[in-house]
Amino acid sequence: NTNIPERVLISGDIKSISSGGGRCFAIKDDGTVWGWGSNEYGQLGDGTDIDKNIPTQIPNLEDIELISPGRFHTLVLKKDKKVLAWGYNLHGQLGDGSWKDSKVPVQVLLEDVKEVSAGEEHSLALLEDGTVWAWGYNYDGQLGDGTNENKNIPIQIPNLYNIVQISAGGDSSLALRDDGYVFAWGNNSNGQLGDGTNEDKNYPVKVLNLDNVVKIKACWSNSFALRSDG
């Protein structure tokens, strides 16, 4: 451990970085992905289950635009608007139609994707048409489809349209609509859905007393929103 910043041993021009679940990723300008950290379920995507203390390139992965690490799985969005996933898959969070873990990227059964977000053990995707799709663990209703059944393929969340941003938290989810209102669903034991209750919801509910929002972020057991007035 270190209590001062140290330079990561990676060369080249970095486009973006992301971390979560005890691991880190960097996307280079050339679209390649490099990862390091925890890897017991293959969540680094390098074909092994060995932890890495230096950045390791994920093989056969290029043209990556966005990466989102969940607790034990990882999602990436490619330039062609398709999604790949790898890691832990007991609850179907890889979205490939199986319940089998994968140490290498597998194709999520979804296209025309604009944004992805990985929660603790569930996954969200925002499509170009403004609809939101979800898959994986659903015990607390974090898939928002009105059930509490796990899904190993993406399913559309009903009655949620014109969405411009998504964020998956621990066991909850957020969506920002184009009119500046926010919707939430899933675990609500700490009031993270913002609907004035502490009851879980397996369908989207409108966050109370909040408008003109431009950015959202769902965390482990709380939620944040940035308004247009700062």
Side-chain angles (χ1 to χ4, degrees):
N1 297 337
T2 180
N3 59 6
I4 59 173
E6 293 187 3
R7 185 172 181 178
V8 177
L9 300 175
I10 186 171
S11 61
D13 296 322
I14 306 300
K15 180 167 63 174
S16 66
I17 56 175
S18 186
S19 65
R23 63 200 187 281
C24 302
F25 292 97
I27 303 177
K28 289 189 177 183
D29 282 346
D30 61 7
T32 60
V33 179
W34 298 66
W36 60 99
S38 178
N39 196 29
E40 67 266 41
Y41 294 103
Q43 58 264 50
L44 290 184
D46 68 339
T48 77
D49 55 7
I50 301 171
D51 297 348
K52 303 294 189 302
N53 60 8
I54 59 171
T56 302
Q57 183 177 357
I58 301 174
N60 305 314
L61 201 62
E62 56 187 14
D63 297 327
I64 302 303
E65 290 283 289
L66 184 153
I67 188 164
S68 180
R71 185 179 181 187
F72 297 121
H73 74 293
T74 307
L75 302 176
V76 293
L77 176 63
K78 298 177 62 181
K79 286 183 179 180
D80 62 7
K81 305 302 180 183
K82 294 181 181 180
V83 180
L84 300 175
W86 59 88
Y88 191 57
N89 196 34
L90 178 65
H91 306 297
Q93 54 264 55
L94 299 189
D96 67 338
S98 79
W99 308 99
K100 183 180 179 181
D101 299 349
S102 180
K103 300 174 186 176
V104 296
V106 295
Q107 184 80 51
V108 177
L109 302 176
L110 200 60
E111 297 183 347
D112 297 322
V113 178
K114 180 179 180 181
E115 182 182 350
V116 292
S117 184
E120 181 179 4
E121 295 185 88
H122 74 290
S123 305
L124 298 178
L126 171 63
L127 268 58
E128 292 284 358
D129 62 5
T131 61
V132 180
W133 296 63
W135 60 98
Y137 194 50
N138 198 27
Y139 180 82
D140 298 307
Q142 53 265 57
L143 301 189
D145 67 336
T147 79
N148 293 81
E149 299 173 359
N150 300 339
K151 306 291 191 307
N152 63 8
I153 60 172
I155 49 98
Q156 184 178 350
I157 300 176
N159 304 315
L160 203 59
Y161 302 99
N162 301 321
I163 301 302
V164 295
Q165 189 181 141
I166 54 173
S167 183
D171 291 312
S172 63
S173 305
L174 296 178
L176 173 62
R177 204 165 63 183
D178 61 0
D179 58 3
Y181 288 107
V182 180
F183 295 83
W185 59 96
N187 188 287
N188 198 26
S189 57
N190 295 285
Q192 57 264 53
L193 301 189
D195 67 339
T197 78
N198 290 87
E199 299 173 358
D200 297 349
K201 302 294 189 306
N202 60 12
Y203 55 90
V205 294
K206 193 174 184 180
V207 177
L208 301 178
N209 304 320
L210 194 61
D211 58 8
N212 298 314
V213 174
V214 295
K215 192 172 184 179
I216 53 174
K217 177 64 176 178
C219 297
W220 182 262
S221 58
N222 50 22
S223 303
F224 296 89
L226 174 65
R227 289 194 359 163
S228 59
D229 61 2

